Amino acid sequence: MLLSACSEQRSSFLDPGGPIAAAQRAHMIEVVGWTMIAVLPVFVLVPLMLWRYRYRNDKARYTPDWEFSGWLDLLMWGVPFIIVVVLSSMLWKSTHALDPYKPIASAEAPLEVQVIGLDWKWLFIYPELGIATVNEMAFPVGTSVSFVLTADTVMQSFVIAALAGQIYVMPGMRTQLHVLADEPGDYEGENMQFNGLGFTKQKFRALAMTPADFSAWVEEVRSHGVALDEATYGRLAVASTGTQAHDTLGSPQMPADALYFNAVEAALFEGVLHRYMRGTAVPPALQPGAVGYLPPPAPTGESQ
Ligand SMILES: [Cu+2]
């Protein structure tokens, strides 16, 4: 909590920016509190007993034939039993309350963002706005973001820790995550799955903005973005970090390690999902993330 205050980017549920992470933090504090009922007496009583029943203490009663105390047994088994009952019912309740698939109530209509996990970057598609980004995604404060996620490579783990829990993404599968930020901020998102050399660089900025700032950001992405068609996607999907992909596809108007796209093909996400759902194995040449993947050739006449 102290360290997270040092950086501008917020990366822990202990410094929550929205209701889900706040509930996670409250849950953790409650769990620690209840567990301490069992743990603290041990920490206090063990040294106390070692000292009281030490060899040279004549005042401590010596009872070598003592073997049973009903009250002591009731205390030793009863208290942990109650704690286990309390903790399991709390866990049951918060597991259902914090279900990542459950929409979060918010005044504004939810914003849908499609996420495709690539090596080693995240592609964010805004289907209603016709834009897409890599390494940077923005959304308005107070609006529930409804993520729909898949992967076009090996399994990955998507998390924006200061806002919500993690969710896995897998090729040919669709998972969901709902996120809401109550405060504007720069939240760190990442891939928590170890899946190759570049995975530590697979981080992105989740920017919670005022609605006006968000509209300006969308315009910025539209005007400085490049078209995301099959050829561009093919080159984006090659194993590279976001910064490396920026060097291949980016323009100087885009932020240093992020990519902006406009003219996004409407069914791109569905297409990626269905690549793995045809009932036959995908040949490596057609599968981003596989060794031997051959991206579609760049259209002729294009620079870079
Ligand atoms: Cu699965």
Side-chain angles (χ1 to χ4, degrees), residues 82-252:
I82 292 168
I83 293 173
V84 168
V85 169
V86 169
L87 288 182
S88 23
S89 61
M90 272 171 49
L91 182 64
W92 179 274
K93 272 197 284 179
S94 50
T95 302
H96 286 271
L98 303 177
D99 179 356
Y101 281 38
K102 202 170 110 179
I104 304 168
S106 72
E108 311 295 323
L111 173 72
E112 192 190 322
V113 179
Q114 298 166 334
V115 183
I116 301 177
L118 296 169
D119 287 328
W120 294 280
K121 54 212 166 284
W122 297 102
L123 172 64
F124 300 95
I125 304 167
Y126 294 71
E128 290 138 26
L129 303 168
I131 58 166
T133 58
V134 166
N135 275 14
E136 177 185 295
M137 59 97 40
F139 56 100
V141 164
T143 296
S144 166
V145 182
S146 164
F147 286 113
V148 188
L149 312 97
T150 192
D152 208 358
T153 177
V154 292
M155 182 169 151
Q156 303 189 345
S157 166
F158 179 92
V159 66
I160 309 172
L163 295 178
Q166 69 84 235
I167 195 93
Y168 285 112
V169 299
M170 288 157 277
M173 295 185 73
R174 179 202 305 259
T175 47
Q176 292 177 41
L177 180 69
H178 290 84
V179 161
L180 185 136
D182 339 278
E183 310 158 24
D186 182 350
Y187 301 98
E188 185 187 75
E190 62 182 329
N191 168 29
M192 290 178 76
Q193 179 89 17
F194 177 87
N195 60 1
L197 279 177
F199 100 102
T200 52
K201 305 238 168 64
Q202 193 171 349
K203 296 186 191 297
F204 65 93
R205 300 172 73 193
L207 304 169
M209 300 176 165
T210 61
D213 285 348
F214 178 68
S215 305
W217 180 84
V218 171
E219 276 319 305
E220 185 84 5
V221 174
R222 276 209 184 107
S223 52
H224 296 318
V226 294
L228 184 58
D229 51 22
E230 208 186 324
T232 320
Y233 180 79
R235 281 186 291 158
L236 181 68
V238 170
S240 64
T241 64
T243 314
Q244 289 163 343
H246 175 94
D247 294 342
T248 329
L249 296 165
S251 72

